[in-house]
Amino acid sequence: MTRVAVLGAGAWGTAIASVLAARHDVTLWARDRAQAEAMARTRRNDRYLPKIEIPAAVKVSADFPAQADLFLAATPVAGLREVLQKKPSPLVWLCKGFEQGTGWLPHQIVEPIVPRCGALSGPSFADEVARGLPCALTLAARDAAFAREAAAIMHGGRLRVYYSADLVGVEIGGAVKNVMAIAAGISDGLGLGHNARAALITRGLAEIGRLGAAMGGSAETIFGLTGAGDLILTATGDLSRNRRVGLQLAQGLSLKEILDGLGHVAEGVSTAREVAKLSRAKGVEMPVTDAVHGVLEGRLTPKAAVEQLLSRDLKQER
């Protein structure tokens, strides 16, 4: 059997380990020994995925796996560097976003240390994946042969996995859609209606496309699973953490209150800041991103951000 090591026992790591265990020899690594022992004993991840029973075939351990045919990094972007200290290879990451401070995408962090690497992205709520509901994802790597090889390991059952060589385009779509989900949450939280949400999603996709093109991504990728697909899910689904951030901002909660109560990482919060900086550096117009960034920084109220977007000068659609 193919040996798969899932690095990180959050919701997504637990979900993907549970699904892959039906076809592969799977180890789920938890950095916290107490958590690993509790999960191995109860076959539950009470903190991140409490309603899902972890299959008996999943080996849960706090000891870093020494070898695997494929390592899956299921940490937030902020946790990638810790994982890389062990130089797990080949490596595919499941996180979406930019590293705070450097503004780097995951591949910029990983490639100098682990050359055989790629990203798995697309519309996927961990709870639904863990319950065996159908899901389609894309595995991208600069090395097209590795992308296909790794996708073949992941593909099967209710999990349909495509492969792509457009690593940057896949990463941009997966990262920036979280910012747009916050925007959609703000819109819904203010009661602005379905028309406004549809407009935000559409113009958000245009922003993702412009930044993706500036970074070397292809339009085909932006309009695929990891761009449009992931954006639609995250901006409309009730399981979306980033959408929830926007909803609660619209209700008047402070960002600190929201994040303290969330219990999970909402990558869109830090991503908004990094994307705003990157768009300025690249000369890419991203008004929705700028509005979300202003709300998260406390420079704009949610209502003022909406008015800022609505009062912009007449533009040709593109």
Side-chain angles (χ1 to χ4, degrees):
M1 293 180 73
T2 302
R3 296 169 299 171
V4 177
V6 181
L7 310 177
W12 195 203
T14 303
I16 204 73
S18 297
V19 169
L20 293 179
R23 295 179 285 114
H24 301 304
D25 180 356
V26 176
T27 298
L28 176 60
W29 174 74
R31 59 180 291 185
D32 182 271
R33 187 166 296 277
Q35 180 195 14
E37 291 174 351
M39 290 173 61
R41 183 178 65 256
T42 66
R43 310 311 297 178
R44 299 274 175 179
N45 187 335
D46 288 331
R47 181 175 180 185
Y48 294 110
L49 213 58
K51 296 180 181 179
I52 302 301
E53 182 175 350
I54 301 170
V58 176
K59 296 185 285 291
V60 185
S61 176
D63 298 321
F64 200 93
Q67 291 181 318
D69 298 303
L70 184 65
F71 288 89
L72 300 178
T75 67
V77 175
L80 269 181
R81 289 192 184 274
E82 179 186 356
V83 164
L84 288 172
Q85 291 176 6
K86 301 289 187 178
K87 298 183 180 180
S89 182
L91 178 69
V92 169
W93 54 90
L94 282 54
C95 50
K96 305 169 183 179
F98 292 80
E99 185 178 48
Q100 292 188 58
T102 65
W104 286 0
L105 287 164
H107 80 268
Q108 295 171 289
I109 303 169
V110 177
E111 282 182 337
I113 301 169
V114 181
R116 294 192 73 216
C117 64
L120 182 69
S121 190
S124 49
F125 286 145
D127 179 79
E128 292 189 1
V129 171
R131 288 191 287 127
L133 299 178
C135 178
L137 301 170
T138 298
L139 200 152
R142 293 187 192 276
D143 181 342
F146 173 68
R148 181 169 185 164
E149 175 188 328
I153 293 174
M154 304 290 295
H155 180 78
R158 295 296 183 92
L159 198 64
R160 181 166 183 79
V161 182
Y162 296 82
Y163 57 91
S164 169
D166 185 10
L167 179 57
V168 171
V170 165
E171 286 188 311
I172 290 292
V176 185
K177 59 90 183 180
N178 285 327
V179 180
M180 302 309 163
I182 295 175
I186 289 173
S187 178
D188 286 348
L190 292 174
L192 301 184
H194 295 93
N195 296 341
R197 183 169 67 188
L200 271 173
I201 291 173
T202 306
R203 297 313 302 161
L205 185 61
E207 291 191 17
I208 294 171
R210 288 197 292 269
L211 184 63
M215 297 287 288
S218 75
E220 185 177 31
T221 299
I222 300 303
F223 287 99
L225 286 169
T226 59
D230 211 358
L231 173 61
I232 292 167
L233 177 74
T234 314
T236 63
D238 290 336
L239 293 175
S240 167
R241 297 191 294 270
N242 293 284
R243 171 177 158 77
R244 202 179 317 161
V245 169
L247 286 167
Q248 293 182 339
L249 285 168
Q251 293 163 6
L253 275 68
S254 71
L255 183 59
K256 185 179 186 306
E257 288 176 304
I258 296 168
L259 297 181
D260 286 348
L262 202 58
H264 297 255
V265 174
E267 292 278 18
V269 174
S270 58
T271 296
R273 178 173 55 253
E274 300 301 337
V275 172
K277 289 193 297 186
L278 182 61
S279 65
R280 288 193 296 271
K282 294 287 184 180
V284 177
E285 188 179 32
M286 301 187 71
V288 177
T289 297
D290 290 339
V292 171
H293 182 219
V295 173
L296 293 172
E297 281 203 326
R299 293 184 284 104
L300 292 172
T301 66
K303 288 183 179 180
V306 171
E307 293 304 319
Q308 176 175 291
L309 289 170
L310 290 174
S311 63
R312 296 176 68 240
D313 291 340
L314 182 68
K315 299 278 185 179
Q316 179 182 3
E317 184 178 22
R318 55 183 179 175

